Amino acid sequence: MASSDPKRTLTLRDVSEASGVSEMTVSRVLRNRGDVSEATRDRVLEAARRLGYVPNKIAGALASQRVNLVGVIVPSLSNLVFPEVLGGISEELEDTGLQPVFGVTNYSAEKEEAVLYEMLSWRPSGVIIAGLEHSPNARSMLENAGIPIVEIMDVDGDPVDSVVGISHRRAGLEMARAIVKAGYRRIGFLGTKMPHDHRARKRLEGFESGLAEAGIELADREFYSGGSALLKGREMTDAILKRSPDLDFLYYSNDMIGAGGLLYCLDKGIDVPGKVGLAGFNGVDLLDGLPRRLATMDACRREIGQRAAAIISGHHEAGMIGGERIELTPKLQPGDTIRRA
Amino acid sequence: MASSDPKRTLTLRDVSEASGVSEMTVSRVLRNRGDVSEATRDRVLEAARRLGYVPNKIAGALASQRVNLVGVIVPSLSNLVFPEVLGGISEELEDTGLQPVFGVTNYSAEKEEAVLYEMLSWRPSGVIIAGLEHSPNARSMLENAGIPIVEIMDVDGDPVDSVVGISHRRAGLEMARAIVKAGYRRIGFLGTKMPHDHRARKRLEGFESGLAEAGIELADREFYSGGSALLKGREMTDAILKRSPDLDFLYYSNDMIGAGGLLYCLDKGIDVPGKVGLAGFNGVDLLDGLPRRLATMDACRREIGQRAAAIISGHHEAGMIGGERIELTPKLQPGDTIRRA
DNA sequence: CTGAAAGCGCTAACAA
DNA sequence: TTGTTAGCGCTTTCAG
């Protein structure tokens, strides 16, 4: 509260002077480090509290060469998917003394490079970054950072260090197989027009190979960008069904547009899954509240966050090195929008 | 790439030696500061790039007493509301050289205090924090931080410094008036059981005073916590209508449960807005895709983020001090779920 | 335009 | 249990 110069922020020295204890011992008390007598401890804490001292981690980090920050880089926050991943990370880091620091790339490789550079310049204890595709510069920064790196969401590719995710290719493949097995043949795809959403791209690739196994080709496709996903799902569904009325299945690249498609079909009185089957991707819990359960595949978002964070905090505590590879298996949730065999 | 000791991270000195230019000049080049000849400039940049040098901002911040970080503290990420605010902040900070750093409190005052303490210990250029209610400790930390503080979302209270938000009390009040004006009389409230969600509480208080103006009391109320909001909205609506079948209006504390309620009513064939009117709060764009437009009130989330960030970056550039107060006005969006006069 | 010296606030390592 | 001495890697300031 009281201070001769209210502008300057307090230092250890202020607490030291106020308590009559050496800076070093004050530092020990504030970090619960080393043996300090109960008495001095109390005096120091009292003084620190009274002054309203907040330690300067910048100085501490520089001196100790230790930073309790974990950089987390994701493409988007509006996607609904990533907030959940971040939730898993936050939760797992909760009691480790590590603090997540988020950065957003908007699916831009350039922005990713900038955010990564910025983060690495704070010398974090680890980096969690979405995806396996990075610019050459970004990749080499990651390789040379000298800290644990965990690439998340996707395992189809060549990780820098550790990786935690699912195979989007396989997710697409298995969805295709399930659809074919259920007897659908005229299949359309609806997705985002995101050239840099590599995971959506891989799902589509996997999906097409799954169809190809049965000698089927994608009958039609429809892309969008921006706007309310639910509404877009309606509009796209309308568009694709008008253009290709003979479609008997619609595969959506995410659950939100899939939900829009489902609502559209129900509105129009289209028999789902009899005349047209539907499936999305992600397993968002929004689907629980819809009139009918959309088929989907859980992307294990929360768990991915947790496992990735656990890898970093493990390294942090044990000083381990070496890339782990954790592939989670998304479960197909057939819901009510695929015909039963 | 090549280095005798691959473990140690590179310093300015390494670049200095590799380029034959003094550390000081290297520093100048890397920060685009002061006049440096084209020739040395090129040599330095070449060396830095070749070595893969990433500056150490910890050291830089300590030496310059300048940190380009903005702390952002929000209660939750799963709420859908906050990712949008963060988006607004990110966008606005884009080209200012400032970097947002996020922290999550889970609506806990204790956690908020811890997160705030952690953030302040990094000496950020400013702090953006949701809400006006903080523990005495947190409040005094904010007051003594010596940096611009922007409290966001809510303006009903006593800000520490600047504030950007809407009046939730007034939002509730106006919604109540609109409902009463439309002729509804038996009104129920459905919301989250979040004792620490002060904004939801204020909306409800404002709502009740709005009803009181017409001599009306809330006829029933229903609370929930956790789970899929859409599904909860259905369940709660079912519960409250079974318990109080004479209700003619349901006011939901957020759009997601409101949307669940709307879907429930449509499923059950309840005449909306004839027999029962519905309204939510937030203006989430999900509503655009529903079979009918739920009445709601836009909480101006993105703009709040932008304005708050602009205040911080303004201070940053101009060194201004002094609290601004920006009250945005949420617009009532009557949609299709309130009877027309 | 370039460099040398000093020090940001803290902690590692050692000494007492 | 406590204190002292040196820096951490950079930037500020002042001199060339």
Side-chain angles (χ1 to χ4, degrees):
Chain A
M1 290 279 143
S3 162
S4 53
D5 180 357
K7 240 56 198 163
R8 192 177 60 77
T9 63
L10 270 26
T11 70
L12 216 44
R13 169 178 231 108
D14 296 306
V15 181
S16 165
E17 284 171 358
S19 63
V21 176
S22 79
E23 285 186 47
M24 195 54 233
T25 301
V26 171
S27 168
R28 285 195 184 97
V29 171
L30 264 22
R31 284 177 300 144
N32 297 309
R33 265 275 218 300
D35 291 324
V36 180
S37 75
E38 195 66 29
T40 36
R41 180 184 182 71
D42 289 348
R43 277 166 63 199
V44 168
L45 288 178
E46 197 279 322
R49 190 162 22 239
R50 181 163 44 80
L51 297 175
Y53 170 71
V54 177
N56 185 330
K57 289 226 183 199
I58 297 172
L62 183 62
S64 67
Q65 308 281 20
R66 240 190 297 285
V67 178
N68 68 335
L69 262 25
V70 177
V72 180
I73 299 178
V74 296
S76 157
L77 285 176
S78 52
N79 194 301
L80 194 54
V81 166
F82 295 106
E84 267 198 73
V85 176
L86 302 188
I89 293 173
S90 285
E91 184 189 328
E92 189 70 26
L93 255 29
E94 193 84 358
D95 300 307
T96 62
L98 291 171
Q99 189 80 22
V101 175
F102 304 121
V104 179
T105 70
N106 293 318
Y107 290 100
S108 144
E110 209 173 295
K111 189 82 196 298
E112 181 181 89
E113 212 176 294
V115 170
L116 179 60
Y117 185 78
E118 173 73 20
M119 282 201 164
L120 290 179
S121 74
W122 287 98
R123 302 289 188 265
S125 289
V127 166
I128 297 174
I129 185 169
L132 292 159
E133 286 77 19
H134 315 290
S135 71
N137 265 337
R139 173 139 190 144
S140 100
M141 282 192 257
L142 289 169
E143 286 167 347
N144 298 322
I147 52 174
I149 307 293
V150 185
E151 288 165 285
I152 56 169
M153 311 309 287
D154 188 7
V155 300
D156 295 327
D158 176 27
V160 169
D161 182 12
S162 296
V163 58
V164 179
I166 65 170
S167 166
H168 287 261
R169 211 175 291 276
R170 198 146 75 80
L173 185 87
E174 289 188 0
M175 185 58 89
R177 285 179 179 159
I179 291 167
V180 169
K181 193 169 168 197
Y184 297 101
R185 289 294 176 272
R186 297 285 302 162
I187 297 161
F189 175 85
L190 303 89
T192 44
K193 183 158 43 208
M194 293 249 67
H196 300 292
D197 186 343
H198 300 282
R199 292 175 287 287
R201 195 200 72 224
K202 289 172 185 176
R203 283 200 299 282
L204 177 53
E205 287 170 8
F207 189 72
E208 293 194 86
S209 7
L211 296 185
E213 289 176 352
I216 301 176
E217 280 200 352
L218 219 44
D220 197 357
R221 49 185 85 197
E222 179 82 19
F223 295 94
Y224 85 105
S225 59
S228 160
L230 206 60
L231 181 58
K232 287 292 176 185
R234 283 180 178 271
E235 294 171 354
M236 293 164 76
T237 305
D238 183 64
I240 202 171
L241 287 180
K242 287 212 167 106
R243 189 169 60 231
S244 308
D246 63 329
L247 291 178
D248 64 3
F249 202 96
L250 302 176
Y251 180 45
Y252 297 86
S253 78
N254 70 63
D255 283 341
M256 283 304 272
I257 56 175
L262 172 59
L263 290 174
Y264 172 88
C265 290
L266 296 179
D267 268 12
K268 293 290 179 189
I270 296 172
D271 173 17
V272 176
K275 179 158 190 320
V276 178
L278 304 172
F281 179 82
N282 263 342
V284 302
D285 68 3
L286 174 96
L287 299 185
D288 290 336
L290 295 178
R292 204 166 303 184
R293 282 207 56 92
L294 181 70
T296 190
M297 217 164 212
D298 183 1
C300 313
R301 303 174 299 287
R302 192 169 191 88
E303 188 180 357
I304 286 175
Q306 292 171 329
R307 304 290 291 266
I311 290 177
I312 303 282
S313 66
H315 280 252
H316 187 67
E317 290 192 2
M320 297 184 284
I321 296 185
E324 293 187 45
R325 179 196 153 90
I326 299 180
E327 175 172 352
L328 302 176
T329 311
K331 304 149 274 297
L332 175 67
Q333 298 167 344
D336 315 312
T337 62
I338 297 184
R339 279 196 296 262
R340 304 301 176 138
Chain B
M1 290 275 141
S3 162
S4 53
D5 180 357
K7 238 58 199 162
R8 193 176 59 75
T9 62
L10 271 25
T11 70
L12 216 44
R13 168 175 232 110
D14 296 306
V15 181
S16 165
E17 284 171 358
S19 63
V21 175
S22 79
E23 285 186 47
M24 194 52 238
T25 301
V26 172
S27 168
R28 285 197 184 93
V29 172
L30 264 21
R31 283 175 303 144
N32 298 309
R33 266 271 215 301
D35 290 324
V36 181
S37 75
E38 195 68 31
T40 34
R41 180 185 182 70
D42 290 348
R43 279 167 62 201
V44 168
L45 287 178
E46 198 280 321
R49 193 163 18 241
R50 183 163 43 80
L51 296 175
Y53 171 71
V54 177
N56 185 331
K57 289 225 180 197
I58 297 172
L62 183 62
S64 68
Q65 308 281 24
R66 240 190 298 285
V67 179
N68 69 335
L69 263 22
V70 177
V72 180
I73 299 178
V74 295
S76 158
L77 285 175
S78 52
N79 195 302
L80 192 54
V81 166
F82 296 105
E84 267 197 74
V85 176
L86 302 188
I89 293 173
S90 285
E91 184 189 328
E92 189 71 25
L93 255 29
E94 194 82 358
D95 301 306
T96 62
L98 290 171
Q99 188 81 24
V101 175
F102 304 122
V104 179
T105 69
N106 293 317
Y107 289 99
S108 143
E110 209 174 294
K111 188 82 195 297
E112 180 181 88
E113 211 176 296
V115 170
L116 178 60
Y117 185 77
E118 173 74 18
M119 284 202 162
L120 290 179
S121 73
W122 286 100
R123 301 289 188 266
S125 288
V127 166
I128 297 173
I129 185 168
L132 292 160
E133 286 76 18
H134 315 289
S135 71
N137 267 336
R139 175 140 189 143
S140 100
M141 282 192 259
L142 289 168
E143 285 168 347
N144 298 321
I147 52 175
I149 306 294
V150 185
E151 288 164 285
I152 57 169
M153 310 309 287
D154 187 8
V155 300
D156 295 326
D158 176 28
V160 169
D161 182 12
S162 296
V163 58
V164 180
I166 65 170
S167 166
H168 287 262
R169 212 176 290 276
R170 198 148 75 82
L173 186 86
E174 289 187 1
M175 184 58 89
R177 285 179 180 159
I179 290 167
V180 169
K181 192 170 170 196
Y184 296 102
R185 289 296 176 270
R186 297 286 302 163
I187 298 160
F189 174 84
L190 303 87
T192 44
K193 183 160 40 210
M194 295 249 68
H196 299 293
D197 186 342
H198 300 282
R199 291 174 290 286
R201 193 201 73 223
K202 289 173 186 174
R203 282 199 301 280
L204 177 53
E205 287 170 7
F207 189 73
E208 293 194 85
S209 7
L211 296 185
E213 289 176 351
I216 300 177
E217 280 200 356
L218 218 44
D220 196 357
R221 47 186 87 197
E222 178 82 20
F223 295 94
Y224 85 105
S225 60
S228 158
L230 205 61
L231 181 57
K232 287 292 176 184
R234 284 180 178 270
E235 294 171 354
M236 293 163 76
T237 306
D238 183 63
I240 203 170
L241 287 181
K242 287 213 167 105
R243 191 169 57 229
S244 308
D246 62 329
L247 291 178
D248 64 3
F249 202 95
L250 302 176
Y251 180 45
Y252 297 86
S253 77
N254 71 63
D255 283 342
M256 283 304 273
I257 57 174
L262 173 60
L263 291 174
Y264 172 88
C265 290
L266 296 180
D267 268 11
K268 294 289 179 187
I270 297 172
D271 172 17
V272 175
K275 177 159 188 322
V276 178
L278 303 173
F281 178 82
N282 264 341
V284 302
D285 68 3
L286 173 96
L287 300 185
D288 290 335
L290 294 178
R292 201 166 305 184
R293 284 206 55 90
L294 181 68
T296 189
M297 217 163 210
D298 184 0
C300 314
R301 303 174 299 287
R302 192 169 191 89
E303 188 179 356
I304 286 175
Q306 292 170 330
R307 306 290 291 266
I311 289 178
I312 302 283
S313 67
H315 281 252
H316 187 68
E317 290 191 4
M320 296 184 284
I321 296 185
E324 293 187 44
R325 180 197 153 90
I326 299 179
E327 175 171 353
L328 302 176
T329 311
K331 305 149 274 299
L332 175 66
Q333 297 167 344
D336 315 311
T337 62
I338 297 184
R339 280 196 295 260
R340 304 300 175 139

